[in-house]
Amino acid sequence: MEEIHIGMLLFLIIAGFTAAFIDSVVGGGGLISLPALLFTGLPPQIALGTNKLASTMGSLTSSISFIRHGKINKSLMVKLLPLSIIGSAIGVYVVQKIPSDKLKPLILVILIVVTIYTLTKKEWGLTSTFNGMTIKKAIFAVGIVTLIGFYDGFLGGGTGSFFLFAFLLMGFDFVESAGNAKILNFGSNITALVVFFYYDSVYYQYGIPMGIAMIAGALIGSKVAIKKGSSYVKILFVLVSVVLIGKNIYDHFFA
């Protein structure tokens, strides 16, 4: 690997901080951090593994922040976290057998539906209506968490946003949904990271400094989200969803 340049390192630190600030609230930080790593000239597989190292550091930080402020449902997360981990592990395994490009058109459709639904429900997610688990909610939670965990291991990109949307459907407000989503996103991230470690696909010289920047970004981002409340998170969620839609359209039709 080429000698590390200070300018490139500063670029990654800024990109990492920005990505983690956004990702700590609504997900989608990979739209910034992964292209930044690819810009350095790292091979795609190494860039993916390095991004997972940095983003795992960020997601752990934001998870701790949401936990400390009481913005997660601890008993529910204890039950759902293993499902996210299992789903991600299966996704990482399956992606070795099936090209992930097969899923991209479906993901685009889902993102559009999620964004339109959020925009048309004016008061949705501004206050929590969650009043405990029912059999129907439990079946939904088990299925959707495992599926999104699988998606993160198989394809990734917008995983945090999908987790957040799932918790909104269960009745949590935007801030609680963001907190719960980060816990499960951390689980799927750490699972994928273990696989990248196994295949020696992590470039620590970039991953660790970027990860430290992500810790700072995640800490500030989660605090801002908790302070400003659900209306702020909703706006950021819609903006990130629109960007994700744009990226998927570009990848599908023009790349």
Side-chain angles (χ1 to χ4, degrees), residues 9-29:
L9 208 53
L10 286 173
F11 165 72
L12 290 175
I13 287 170
I14 293 169
F17 178 89
T18 307
F21 183 92
I22 295 170
D23 198 71
S24 66
V25 186
V26 294

Side-chain angles (χ1 to χ4, degrees), residues 92-110:
V92 172
Y93 172 77
V94 173
V95 79
Q96 312 298 321
K97 313 292 181 182
I98 304 172
S100 60
D101 288 347
K102 301 288 184 183
L103 266 186
K104 286 186 177 179
L106 176 62
I107 299 306
L108 176 59
V109 173
I110 294 172

Side-chain angles (χ1 to χ4, degrees), residues 37-56:
L37 285 164
L38 289 168
F39 179 75
T40 68
L42 289 176
Q45 195 69 12
I46 302 294
L48 284 166
T50 305
N51 184 57
K52 275 299 177 188
L53 172 62
S55 60
T56 299

Side-chain angles (χ1 to χ4, degrees), residues 152-165:
D152 193 28
F154 187 77
L155 186 60
T159 300
S161 300
F162 288 135
F163 273 133
L164 191 153
F165 188 75

